[in-house]
Amino acid sequence: MSCGSLEKLLTDISNGSVSVADGMNLLRDNSVLDLGHTKFDLQRPSRNGFPEVVYGEGKTPEQVGEIFARVGSHSNVLATRVSDAMAAHVQSVCPGVEYNALGRTLTLITKPVAWKQGTVAIVTAGTSDLPVAEEAQVTCHMLGVRAKILADVGVAGIHRLLNNLPEVRAARAIIVVAGMEGALASVVGGLVAQPVVAVPTSVGYGASFAGLSALLGMLTSCASGVTVTNIDNGFGAACAACRIINACEGSHNT
């Protein structure tokens, strides 16, 4: 149930056009869409402003296809960590679905996206970090926040970042995506006043330990206030950045 639907229901209960008992039944019946294999939370947007998102890994193409086909009539749908085979099946049963092969995301937009004020800059250290950045950008857009990727501006050629610094500073929140030693998060964190959400990636040679070196480097950043997500978690970084945007928008409306 969307915020608008919930508000209408409460108004109808208040003015007597819907009884309390009927209202309770509507809330109970509309809270979860039970597909047997999945219980999709329809009231999550009214609680925290974000729709429920499908994590594709570990699910079958048929399960994800049914989720999109059934949930799409209620809300927009986003799935992450989607394989090519899964995407092909979902698109065959739900033609309106778009697949981002690099970011491994599926999106279905059936309701207008309510765009918020402010943007997110997604800064990547290298081109190899783009899959995580794409996941973050798609997530931001599904949550109503415009995001732009500034790719391949890592510390091995710091002039590339400095050339893009005005655009980075124009954003309300910044996501930094980096593998190897993860140093880009500290550099950006020392150059901007905005909140910085850092994402370590599994990019790098053996001693990077599949992203552990970047994770530890970001956690021990000498730039105060840098927030760090899990390895390769572009989705989580986008959610954090969008919460920041939502909070800023809320403060402007009070």
Side-chain angles (χ1 to χ4, degrees):
M1 179 174 288
S2 66
C3 293
S5 300
L6 180 59
E7 184 178 5
K8 183 179 184 305
L9 175 60
L10 293 175
T11 300
D12 290 344
I13 294 173
S14 177
N15 63 29
S17 60
V18 174
S19 69
V20 172
D22 287 343
M24 291 290 291
N25 288 333
L26 286 169
L27 284 172
R28 180 194 63 217
D29 295 339
N30 286 287
S31 61
V32 173
L33 182 61
D34 192 345
L35 304 179
H37 51 77
T38 303
K39 293 178 174 59
F40 201 89
D41 186 355
L42 296 173
Q43 290 190 348
R44 188 169 296 182
S46 62
R47 291 198 309 273
N48 66 11
F50 294 161
E52 184 166 15
V53 175
V54 181
Y55 183 73
E57 282 185 350
K59 294 181 176 66
T60 67
E62 291 74 20
Q63 289 170 339
V64 177
E66 184 179 5
I67 292 171
F68 271 80
R70 295 280 301 278
V71 175
S73 61
H74 297 271
S75 68
N76 298 334
V77 190
L78 165 65
T80 64
R81 303 306 166 93
V82 174
S83 67
D84 292 345
M86 179 178 288
H89 173 77
V90 175
Q91 288 180 314
S92 72
V93 299
C94 196
V97 172
E98 292 189 8
Y99 179 45
N100 182 315
L102 185 58
R104 294 191 295 161
T105 61
L106 284 175
T107 55
L108 176 62
I109 299 177
T110 58
K111 312 290 183 185
V113 174
W115 293 104
K116 300 174 177 64
Q117 296 295 318
T119 61
V120 171
I122 303 173
V123 182
T124 80
T127 306
S128 299
D129 300 310
L130 276 175
V132 176
E134 288 279 345
E135 182 182 79
Q137 184 182 52
V138 170
T139 301
C140 284
H141 290 172
M142 288 294 287
L143 298 179
V145 175
R146 292 178 175 84
K148 180 175 181 180
I149 295 175
L150 301 171
D152 199 23
V153 293
V155 297
I158 197 66
H159 58 285
R160 299 172 298 172
L161 173 64
L162 299 179
N163 290 341
N164 287 275
L165 204 51
E167 194 166 6
V168 174
R169 286 175 171 162
R172 188 167 287 175
I174 300 163
I175 296 172
V176 177
V177 184
M180 303 292 185
E181 81 285 21
L184 184 61
S186 290
V187 174
V188 174
L191 291 173
V192 303
Q194 293 90 335
V196 174
V197 181
V199 189
T201 72
S202 50
V203 172
Y205 295 103
S208 69
F209 298 109
L212 182 59
S213 292
L215 172 64
L216 295 177
M218 289 174 174
L219 287 172
T220 55
S221 171
C222 60
S224 302
V226 172
T227 301
V228 185
T229 69
N230 208 339
I231 298 169
D232 291 336
N233 191 3
F235 166 76
C239 288
C242 289
R243 283 181 182 267
I244 292 167
I245 299 292
N246 290 347
C248 292
E249 188 167 84
S251 66
H252 291 163
N253 292 333
T254 56

